[in-house]
């Protein structure tokens, strides 16, 4: 079935990205009023008719995570009750993704809970990017299109002429090895892995480097997200202590909470390349940071979903 009237609704999580996506598609954002009531509840009003429309709601669920999730659910509910034909939740960043399994007794699987909430609210599809674990797609009982920012990041690093034999792509932990290997395939160079142990949500311990050698070489570290920056800064310290030359970091989701801006600015990172999957405050924007827009990638995926065209072309 083809849907008429492509409609983009932007929540308050990332209005600039919603605008960029609408610009890519050559349409204007839907007229929506969103405001907080004095007690903190969120009020939403659609100021245009969306009956029968193919609606895409742009709302990364980054900090403030809980507010952004509830606002997304309320927006979905408003669109459903306004008789939208189809509703797609566009989650450039999906929060709570790290709580995706019972890793000790009597803990929730919050990623699954949030997926249930989104589908129960009325989302017919989900469009997302670089989920912390690809299996989270299966938490949703509706179709999920899962995009990757890695090719966009690699294109940027290719432009810096980092590719080649003097490059070592470093996985900051064992969970990111597969991702690092894909970067090696595109950029060339060798692979190294940092042995990371997490001691708490705020702190990690890293000491050993597996693979290499890295002495005198350019190190390029990739991670799906930087939250407190404990993982990435610890990994940078390890590669530097093993004699690496210039160190570059690429990440899709700059969550950058708590001590992250300070930790990153004190770390010997030559350039930190992030996407705009999440908004950045003035404090989070660092002098050595390059922000690459994912609006064309998301916009193109929306265009293809709307026209029932293949999206898998965008995965390469
Ligand atoms: C871990 O598995 C992730 O890929 C990231 O390395 C981690 O979640 C980043 O968190 P933080 O910046 O707080 O160390």
């Amino acid at each position: 079935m083809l849907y008429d009237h492509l409609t983009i609704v932007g929540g308050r999580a990332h209005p600039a990205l919603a605008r960029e996506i609408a610009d890519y598609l050559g349409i204007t954002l839907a007229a929506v009023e969103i405001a907080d009531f004095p007690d903190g509840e969120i009020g939403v009003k659609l100021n245009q008719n969306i009956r029968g429309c193919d609606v895409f709601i742009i709302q990364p669920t980054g900090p403030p995570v809980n507010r952004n999730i509830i606002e997304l659910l309320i927006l979905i509910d408003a669109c459903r009750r306004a008789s939208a034909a189809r509703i797609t939740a566009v989650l450039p960043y999906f929060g709570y993704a790290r709580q995706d399994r019972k890793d000790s007794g009597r803990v929730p699987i919050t990623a699954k809970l949030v997926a249930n909430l989104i589908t129960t609210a009325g989302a017919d599809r989900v469009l997302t990017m670089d989920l912390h674990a690809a299996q989270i797609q299966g938490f949703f009982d509706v179709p999920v299109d899962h995009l990757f920012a890695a090719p966009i990041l690699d294109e940027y690093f290719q432009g810096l002429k980092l590719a080649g034999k003097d490059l070592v792509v470093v996985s900051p932990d064992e969970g990111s090895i597969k991702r690092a290997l894909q970067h090696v395939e595109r950029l060339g160079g060798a692979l190294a892995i940092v042995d990371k142990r997490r001691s708490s949500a705020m702190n990690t311990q890293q000491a050993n480097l597996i693979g290499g050698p890295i002495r005198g070489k350019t190190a390029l570290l990739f991670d799906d997200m930087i939250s407190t920056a404990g993982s990435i800064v610890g990994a940078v310290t390890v590669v530097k202590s093993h004699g690496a030359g210039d160190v570059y970091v690429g990440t899709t989701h700059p969550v950058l909470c708590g001590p992250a801006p300070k930790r990153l600015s004190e770390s010997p990172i030559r350039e930190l390349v992030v996407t705009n999957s999440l908004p950045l405050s003035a404090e989070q924007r660092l002098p050595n940071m390059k922000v690459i827009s994912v609006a064309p990638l998301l916009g193109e995926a929306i265009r293809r979903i709307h026209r029932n065209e293949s999206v898998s072309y965008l995965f390469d």
Side-chain angles (χ1 to χ4, degrees):
M1 178 175 174
L2 279 174
Y3 296 87
D4 285 338
H5 308 301
L6 173 58
T7 303
I8 304 293
V9 170
R12 288 181 299 180
H14 201 344
L17 180 62
R19 257 193 314 275
E20 252 195 84
I21 291 172
D23 286 350
Y24 176 89
L25 293 164
I27 58 179
T28 49
L29 281 173
V32 186
E33 266 173 56
I34 309 174
D36 291 331
F37 288 108
D39 59 2
E41 291 179 0
I42 296 169
V44 161
K45 169 133 178 59
L46 295 160
N47 283 331
Q48 70 178 61
N49 177 19
I50 60 158
R51 195 174 283 271
C53 291
D54 190 14
V55 176
F56 292 78
I57 303 174
I58 317 291
Q59 182 87 330
T61 53
V65 182
N66 299 330
R67 189 196 79 165
N68 285 336
I69 289 173
I70 290 289
E71 188 174 293
L72 170 67
L73 301 176
I74 295 171
L75 282 167
I76 294 171
D77 189 68
C79 293
R80 189 167 58 86
R81 292 176 195 280
S83 303
R86 180 170 71 170
I87 301 166
T88 302
V90 181
L91 312 169
Y93 168 78
F94 177 66
Y96 278 114
R98 287 177 292 178
Q99 297 188 39
D100 63 347
R101 64 195 176 284
K102 287 189 77 168
D103 52 6
S104 68
R106 300 182 295 279
V107 297
I109 304 180
T110 315
K112 171 64 179 152
L113 171 66
V114 174
N116 284 347
L117 290 170
I118 291 170
T119 46
T120 303
D124 299 295
R125 313 181 57 92
V126 170
L127 172 62
T128 189
M129 197 174 67
D130 282 335
L131 287 167
H132 180 61
Q135 308 85 278
I136 292 170
Q137 288 170 71
F139 289 7
F140 293 91
D141 288 330
V142 293
V144 176
D145 289 303
H146 184 204
L147 304 175
F148 302 98
I152 302 176
L153 295 173
D154 285 344
E155 204 179 309
Y156 177 77
F157 287 117
Q158 268 156 351
L160 293 185
K161 309 252 180 290
L162 297 186
K165 62 181 170 33
D166 279 334
L167 180 70
V168 180
V169 174
V170 182
S171 172
D173 55 36
E174 68 200 48
S176 303
I177 296 175
K178 203 169 150 206
R179 209 176 294 131
L181 274 169
Q182 289 165 352
H183 289 288
V184 170
E185 271 173 31
R186 277 190 291 265
L187 298 172
L191 173 73
I193 302 146
V194 173
D195 174 17
K196 171 177 116 177
R197 317 272 161 107
R198 189 173 276 289
S199 46
S200 71
M202 288 286 275
N203 293 303
T204 55
Q205 270 138 25
Q206 297 103 316
N208 304 315
L209 188 72
I210 304 158
I214 205 164
R215 185 160 297 283
K217 298 200 176 175
T218 299
L220 181 45
L221 287 76
F222 287 101
D223 212 343
D224 59 325
M225 70 168 88
I226 300 179
S227 186
T228 66
S231 304
I232 206 73
V233 165
V236 170
T237 306
V238 171
V239 297
K240 272 293 188 188
S241 72
H242 282 75
D246 285 339
V247 177
Y248 292 80
V249 171
T251 193
T252 306
H253 305 301
V255 181
L256 307 189
C257 58
K262 183 166 186 293
R263 283 175 170 175
L264 288 165
S265 56
E266 289 170 357
S267 177
I269 298 169
R270 171 111 189 237
E271 193 166 1
L272 170 60
V273 183
V274 304
T275 81
N276 62 345
S277 68
L278 290 163
L280 290 168
S281 66
E283 193 213 354
Q284 290 169 321
R285 284 183 185 271
L286 305 173
N288 62 343
M289 183 183 274
K290 165 84 185 167
V291 183
I292 299 183
S293 179
V294 287
L297 176 67
L298 291 164
E300 185 57 25
I302 289 171
R303 196 185 67 77
R304 285 168 177 266
I305 293 167
H306 176 64
R307 294 165 65 149
N308 278 342
E309 291 174 9
S310 169
V311 172
S312 53
Y313 146 88
L314 297 172
F315 300 164
D316 301 325

